[in-house]
Amino acid sequence: MKLRRSASPARDREGDEVPVTKSVRTVFQRKCPEELAQRRSMLADLVRQAAEMDESRPWKGHVTSPFFDGRGSPQSARRTVDGPLRFSSHFECGNLLCAKLVCTSKGAQTPGPGATELEYELLVDSDTQSAQGHTQWFYFAIRNGQFCGTVHFRILNLRKKKSLYQQGLQPFVFSRKKHRTWESNCCQGVYYGKKEKGLRDLSGSEARGDVMLQWSYRVDRKEDEIYFAAYPPYSYSMMSSFISSLEQDAVARCHFRRRELCRSIGQLPVPLLVVSEGLNEKEGEQLPKYAVVITARQHPGEVVGSWAVQGLLRFLLGPTPAAKCLREEFVFHVIPMVNVDGVVHGNSRCTLAGVDPNRVWHDPNPILHPVVFALKNHMRSLSQGLSSVKGIEMFLDLHGHSAKFGCFFYGSNPSAHISNAVFPKLCSLISTDIDFEQCHWRCPKSHRKTARYVVYKQFGVKYAYTIECSLYAPVPETGIPGHFTPSRVEFVGCAVGCGLAIFFQVDGEDPMKVCRQCSETAAPCDLNLVLDLSCPNVLAKRPWFQSEVLEHITPISVLESLTTSYGEVVPDMAKLSNDSDDGGDSDGDDGEEAPTAPPAPPPAPPPASPTSARKKNSKDSSQAKRLTARSPDDESLLSPSNARKRGSRARSMDNRFEPLRDSRDFSIPISSFESLWPEGEERKVASRPCGPEKLEKTLGDASIVSVSFGGGVTPQGHLAVLTTPQFCVTGAPVDRSL
């Protein structure tokens, strides 16, 4: 028994709230034998159907209702000792851990027969094997039997302190009896914040997580099945069914092939889609093209990434002239679902190994991170010009954001040229749902293991972006009002596709005109599997898609506008707008990276003894003699064998990050370095501090003329030194030993 305020507290005659005696009863546990058996059956069906799909059979999916028994008959809807509602979570993406029924009657363990109001305390399961216990995604179902009334739900163990639920977002609800799609505005009393002190889990200890989400829902139909989710789910079966439909479509199947990238830890195939013009029609190998690599769903709870990449595929495989030109010029390698195990098991962020896949790209393990390992090897082969590909031109990683409005881009280099901002700006001009003011190119230390940074740094891909899409709505000040429904998010992917066509200047010249289907039949063509954006009827009901912009914008005009506004370097929009930002963390730990303390000054060296002082003076004198003996043309400065050893060692270290070009010997006059050091400041020559006084003591009357070294130029334009610099000097030093 515990005294606690309920969702609908009782009141005395004066109107003051009075404490109500409560008791709780466990009505559902995910780890009970029945639930575990049903989950094993679901996973076995997925693996079996994935094997059948490899044999070119259409995907059927897991169609059994969670409330049907093994024979396909509805489970008994009669009232049980556990109360009028039955919970389920053994389907794909489901992650309800347990549910507790809260009773307010004295001595009663269940509500009375005429109860019209119920209250439940819920816990969602944390990510599999995750030490951090990520809990943000939720998805479960209830069956109400004969009950009609209001149900109050309260999830007690969420972890993120900031969420769009504080800005108006509501849980999404789907009712089988209403015959509608997922609804986003049918809940009442939504609250997201710190939970009440004293709320406890089944074991009696505090529920892990400091934040709770509570809402109320009115059940008005008997024998209904109602699903609640953080966002309309996109499961592994839905992805497989979509790919199977593309393979059956007469237009789409000509331009793409489905391959298996690898198998996940859970032995599910990870699909790789290769898209190019006439890929299945032309015999023999096609001419080499540049590749565009697109990934999505590294984090299972960020469902909008799957919806966006589905819209992008519907555009790329459609008859739009711009899409046809893109297929002719490029080959697209699309991985629509990276973390397939996390999606199936209802994780928020991690894989079955409890690892965030977007934090291991720098050095993936083939056993613990098989998908990232295989994907990185595949991209390495593309960047090296193998597999009939010239190289990677662009990399896009699609994510979702649960704390910010709108869609926006994250780049990889804060000092990149302003041309790196042209593509995000083009996409923001095409769709008002994409907000350029939230884009930035900062990449703090904690995000240098992410996909976009590793692809930029190790593979030399200049245009490597993360695309974030809100789970709620566009930016209120600039976007067109409305929720980000799955259909609307798909057109964000279409906007990215149109942005690619304009950015690479392959846009078709055909004007927009009504397609044959719209002119001959009453069925709108926007319901087709593939989209034709050249038909105005497709965009007529979507005012956030600025179709008129497509006719007159060019990359050159956008670049000139950006240069005028921000200069030659990409802008830091968060600093310009004085807005706080998460540093590019889509749905990770709250807050920015903790500032690192400045390094402590090195301890003062002990006073030198007379013996060590004499040794040091002798060493300085011998160094000066060696410098005077060298001439600019002396090949004995660095023997060929030593040069090869040092150069190969340096190259092996540098090749871990980016390939070099223009490798040769450099000779730079010392006068070129004079402007790099202000007067009076200590210089660094050969990685050693060499102030004016020390140089004078070391060289005497000698002076450095030039610096020679072997090096190369990185794809970003930086000079990489591969051999030890050699200093050419003139004059004769004073012999201090005399």
Side-chain angles (χ1 to χ4, degrees):
M1 295 288 186
K2 187 171 185 65
L3 298 180
R4 185 165 69 252
R5 185 182 302 176
S6 65
S8 56
R11 299 176 180 272
D12 57 14
R13 294 182 179 179
E14 288 75 21
D16 297 331
E17 296 182 4
V18 296
V20 179
T21 302
K22 288 188 176 183
S23 62
V24 293
R25 178 181 178 86
T26 303
V27 297
F28 171 82
Q29 290 193 45
R30 187 181 191 182
K31 297 181 180 180
C32 67
E34 180 182 359
E35 189 76 9
L36 288 175
Q38 291 172 330
R39 290 190 64 82
R40 292 192 191 100
S41 175
M42 179 267 295
L43 294 173
D45 285 346
L46 285 180
V47 175
R48 175 181 54 80
Q49 293 187 50
E52 292 178 354
M53 191 175 179
D54 290 337
E55 300 172 1
S56 300
R57 300 182 187 179
W59 182 270
K60 297 179 181 178
H62 191 74
V63 297
T64 304
S65 168
F67 299 101
F68 278 57
D69 59 20
R71 299 182 300 275
S73 303
Q75 293 179 348
S76 174
R78 67 180 184 275
R79 184 182 182 82
T80 65
V81 295
D82 290 334
L85 299 187
R86 298 178 64 93
F87 286 78
S88 179
S89 184
H90 62 261
F91 38 81
E92 290 182 59
C93 307
N95 68 336
L96 183 64
L97 178 62
C98 66
K100 298 181 295 182
L101 174 63
V102 180
C103 305
T104 57
S105 303
K106 288 187 178 182
Q109 293 297 314
T110 59
T116 59
E117 196 168 0
L118 299 175
E119 182 179 353
Y120 288 90
E121 293 180 355
L122 312 176
L123 295 179
V124 294
D125 204 356
S126 58
D127 285 5
T128 310
Q129 302 294 332
S130 173
Q132 297 182 357
H134 296 287
T135 52
Q136 186 63 27
W137 166 260
F138 64 89
Y139 181 32
F140 64 93
I142 62 172
R143 184 179 177 91
N144 63 319
Q146 300 298 313
F147 172 82
C148 289
T150 302
V151 185
H152 307 284
F153 298 101
R154 184 162 54 221
I155 301 177
L156 303 179
N157 62 333
L158 301 181
R159 297 184 62 85
K160 288 183 66 67
K161 297 179 181 179
K162 296 180 181 179
S163 176
L164 288 168
Y165 292 111
Q166 298 165 324
Q167 306 293 330
L169 178 64
Q170 297 184 12
F172 284 78
V173 184
F174 174 79
S175 171
R176 288 190 180 272
K177 284 292 185 73
K178 290 183 178 180
H179 301 289
R180 300 176 186 171
T181 58
W182 285 87
E183 299 178 285
S184 59
N185 54 358
C186 57
C187 296
Q188 302 84 33
V190 178
Y191 168 79
Y192 187 92
K194 285 191 174 183
K195 62 184 178 184
E196 302 175 17
K197 187 176 181 181
L199 293 177
R200 301 180 179 277
D201 61 12
L202 294 176
S203 62
S205 60
E206 291 291 335
R208 187 174 184 180
D210 300 327
V211 183
M212 72 173 181
L213 170 66
Q214 68 179 23
W215 73 94
S216 302
Y217 179 77
R218 174 72 183 179
V219 181
D220 50 11
R221 287 175 173 81
K222 298 180 179 180
E223 298 292 345
D224 197 2
E225 291 181 20
I226 306 170
Y227 296 78
F228 298 90
Y231 194 85
Y234 193 101
S235 64
Y236 182 83
S237 291
M238 294 173 66
M239 176 199 65
S240 301
S241 178
F242 173 70
I243 296 175
S244 180
S245 300
L246 291 176
E247 292 176 330
Q248 305 300 320
D249 187 83
V251 177
R253 66 186 177 191
C254 300
H255 310 302
F256 91 101
R257 292 175 184 170
R258 177 179 59 87
R259 300 176 182 173
E260 181 178 310
L261 177 68
C262 65
R263 292 271 172 161
S264 66
I265 296 178
Q267 295 304 304
L268 288 173
V270 180
L272 165 65
L273 307 183
V274 182
V275 178
S276 188
E277 178 65 18
L279 195 62
N280 290 329
E281 293 179 341
K282 300 178 182 178
E283 296 182 359
E285 294 186 0
Q286 292 188 329
L287 295 176
K289 303 177 182 179
Y290 282 100
V292 177
V293 181
I294 303 168
T295 63
R297 209 67 181 279
Q298 290 203 69
H299 299 148
E302 300 168 13
V303 191
V304 286
S306 288
W307 290 110
V309 79
Q310 176 169 303
L312 179 57
L313 285 170
R314 293 179 66 189
F315 165 78
L316 288 175
L317 295 171
T320 309
K324 184 177 185 295
C325 294
L326 279 174
R327 296 194 301 265
E328 292 174 348
E329 296 292 333
F330 296 92
V331 55
F332 293 85
H333 289 245
V334 185
I335 301 87
M337 189 173 289
V338 175
N339 192 353
V340 293
D341 288 338
V343 171
V344 170
H345 288 266
N347 289 355
S348 294
R349 194 172 181 86
C350 299
T351 64
L352 282 186
V355 178
D356 183 345
N358 204 29
R359 294 298 184 273
V360 297
W361 273 76
H362 66 297
D363 188 20
N365 184 290
I367 304 300
L368 296 178
H369 326 123
V371 181
V372 177
F373 182 83
L375 178 54
K376 189 175 179 182
N377 283 341
H378 177 71
M379 294 184 63
R380 181 179 289 109
S381 66
L382 296 179
S383 65
Q384 294 174 353
L386 305 178
S387 304
S388 301
V389 173
K390 294 181 179 180
I392 300 177
E393 188 71 17
M394 182 177 287
F395 172 73
L396 301 176
D397 187 21
L398 278 65
H399 286 259
H401 212 294
S402 66
K404 298 181 71 174
F405 288 93
C407 304
F408 42 91
F409 286 69
Y410 290 145
S412 305
N413 183 7
S415 60
H417 188 262
I418 191 64
S419 60
N420 205 265
V422 172
F423 178 63
K425 184 64 176 179
L426 281 171
C427 294
S428 67
L429 294 175
I430 296 172
S431 174
T432 59
D433 290 343
I434 301 175
D435 183 31
F436 182 73
E437 299 300 319
Q438 295 190 87
C439 301
H440 71 66
W441 281 257
R442 287 181 286 111
C443 203
K445 184 177 180 180
S446 61
H447 293 86
R448 293 177 186 174
K449 301 176 183 179
T450 59
R452 74 175 186 276
Y453 186 82
V454 171
V455 170
Y456 160 75
K457 202 66 175 174
Q458 294 188 14
F459 299 150
V461 180
K462 180 180 178 181
Y463 303 108
Y465 304 98
T466 293
I467 302 179
E468 298 280 353
C469 185
S470 173
L471 298 177
Y472 181 21
V475 177
E477 294 79 9
T478 59
I480 295 178
H483 288 272
F484 273 167
T485 61
S487 174
R488 185 163 178 173
V489 174
E490 283 189 86
F491 275 83
V492 172
C494 293
V496 172
C498 292
L500 287 171
I502 299 175
F503 180 72
F504 292 123
Q505 297 181 335
V506 298
D507 195 7
E509 299 294 336
D510 295 347
M512 298 187 69
K513 58 183 179 180
V514 177
C515 64
R516 179 182 302 177
Q517 177 177 337
C518 292
S519 59
E520 295 179 356
T521 63
C525 63
D526 60 343
L527 300 179
N528 293 348
L529 184 62
V530 293
L531 295 172
D532 184 3
L533 296 187
S534 61
C535 178
N537 291 344
V538 175
L539 305 177
K541 297 178 289 186
R542 298 169 176 89
W544 55 83
F545 200 97
Q546 307 295 312
S547 57
E548 65 278 1
V549 176
L550 302 176
E551 301 175 2
H552 58 81
I553 60 172
T554 63
I556 301 300
S557 62
V558 172
L559 177 60
E560 293 175 352
S561 174
L562 290 173
T563 304
T564 304
S565 302
Y566 305 109
E568 296 292 333
V569 181
V570 290
D572 190 340
M573 308 304 298
K575 289 184 178 180
L576 294 177
S577 60
N578 295 325
D579 188 18
S580 62
D581 196 83
D582 57 3
D585 196 353
S586 55
D587 264 335
D589 299 330
D590 287 311
E592 298 184 357
E593 184 181 9
T596 57
S609 63
T611 304
S612 62
R614 283 195 300 270
K615 289 182 178 179
K616 182 177 184 302
N617 292 335
S618 176
K619 184 178 180 181
D620 292 342
S621 177
S622 62
Q623 285 180 350
K625 290 179 180 179
R626 285 195 300 270
L627 282 173
T628 56
R630 294 173 181 172
S631 63
D633 298 327
D634 190 1
E635 294 296 334
S636 64
L637 295 179
L638 186 64
S639 64
S641 60
N642 290 338
R644 284 194 297 270
K645 289 179 181 179
R646 297 183 185 183
S648 61
R649 189 185 306 118
R651 287 186 180 91
S652 65
M653 293 294 292
D654 199 75
N655 282 340
R656 294 186 307 168
F657 300 100
E658 52 190 77
L660 296 180
R661 53 183 172 82
D662 193 19
S663 298
R664 57 186 175 89
D665 294 331
F666 293 84
S667 180
I668 302 177
I670 195 63
S671 57
S672 302
F673 296 94
E674 294 296 333
S675 60
L676 299 181
W677 291 282
E679 262 186 51
E681 286 199 8
E682 189 177 48
R683 304 183 183 184
K684 285 190 176 181
V685 179
S687 302
R688 296 183 180 180
C690 296
E693 297 81 3
K694 187 171 183 180
L695 276 176
E696 183 181 356
K697 291 178 182 178
T698 305
L699 301 177
D701 297 334
S703 60
I704 299 177
V705 176
S706 63
V707 182
S708 301
F709 58 89
V713 181
T714 68
Q716 288 76 36
H718 307 301
L719 185 62
V721 179
L722 298 182
T723 61
T724 304
Q726 303 299 319
F727 301 94
C728 302
V729 300
T730 60
V734 177
D735 192 351
R736 305 277 181 182
S737 62
L738 297 178

